[in-house]
């Protein structure tokens, strides 16, 4: 993976990211305890979390968790149900009309496979959910995946590869064996 997709742990950049994570965790904690009918305060906090104004047509139900916030890009008419986690350091783009089921995880960062590298850096790769795609309950989308326009991902799926437009995918992730050098 190219260096720009890596964040090394013992660097000033990582220290800044760690500070941002602490700040965003505080904001999401506040977001998650607001009265449900306080939509104005939720919208304001969500905009603070992502670092820009979120479209009025976006709905994010608490609880909601994110580690960085600045990597999330919401299109119009996006709906995010309860209990979702967006680890967005690699970037997460949600197109117009995207529906996200409860307890869904969008994970745009990871650790390397090699045990000797796992504590040295994290890898980051964007997730794109295109216009009118729908992710069912408890879906997990891993780094670098694109869910195509109008695609549907069934509940409980673990998405490790791109999903073509207007396609239905269901079931657990396929297990692939890959050897790597230690």
């Amino acid at each position: 993976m190219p260096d720009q997709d890596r964040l090394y742990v013992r660097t000033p950049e990582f220290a800044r990211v760690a500070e941002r994570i602490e700040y965003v965790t505080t904001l999401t904690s506040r977001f998650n305890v607001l009265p449900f009918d306080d939509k104005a305060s939720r919208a304001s906090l969500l905009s603070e979390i992502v670092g820009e104004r979120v479209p009025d047509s976006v709905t994010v139900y608490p609880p909601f968790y994110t580690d960085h916030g600045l990597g999330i890009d919401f299109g119009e008419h996006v709906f995010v149900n309860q209990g979702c986690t967006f680890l967005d350091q690699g970037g997460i783009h949600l197109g117009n009309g995207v529906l996200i089921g409860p307890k869904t995880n969008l994970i745009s960062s990871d650790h390397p496979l090699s045990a000797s590298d796992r504590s040295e850096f994290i890898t980051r790769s964007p997730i794109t959910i295109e216009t009118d795609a729908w992710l069912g309950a408890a879906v997990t989308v891993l780094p670098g995946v694109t869910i195509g326009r109008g695609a549907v991902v069934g509940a409980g799926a673990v998405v490790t590869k791109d999903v073509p437009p207007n396609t239905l995918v269901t079931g657990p992730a396929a297990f692939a064996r890959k050897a790597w050098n230690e």
Side-chain angles (χ1 to χ4, degrees), residues 129-140:
I129 314 295
E130 294 181 349
T131 298
D132 296 326
W134 173 27
L135 308 184
V139 166
T140 296

Side-chain angles (χ1 to χ4, degrees), residues 8 13 20 23 53 60 69 96 99 108:
Y8 288 89
E13 181 185 5
R20 175 71 188 173
Y23 175 68
R53 188 175 176 284
V60 177
N96 296 335
L99 303 175
S108 70

Side-chain angles (χ1 to χ4, degrees), residues 2 19 38 75 110 157:
E19 287 175 14
D38 190 352
D110 203 356

Side-chain angles (χ1 to χ4, degrees), residues 6 111-121 179-182:
R6 294 180 180 186
H111 291 274
L113 291 175
S114 171
S116 62
D117 289 335
R118 282 185 208 139
S119 62
E120 296 299 315
F121 62 90
W180 64 90
N181 295 332
E182 290 291 331

Side-chain angles (χ1 to χ4, degrees), residues 78-99:
V78 170
F79 177 79
V80 179
N81 213 323
Q82 298 176 4
C84 292
T85 299
F86 290 9
L87 300 186
D88 68 293
Q89 288 185 50
I92 295 172
H93 172 74
L94 305 174
N96 296 335
V98 166
L99 303 175

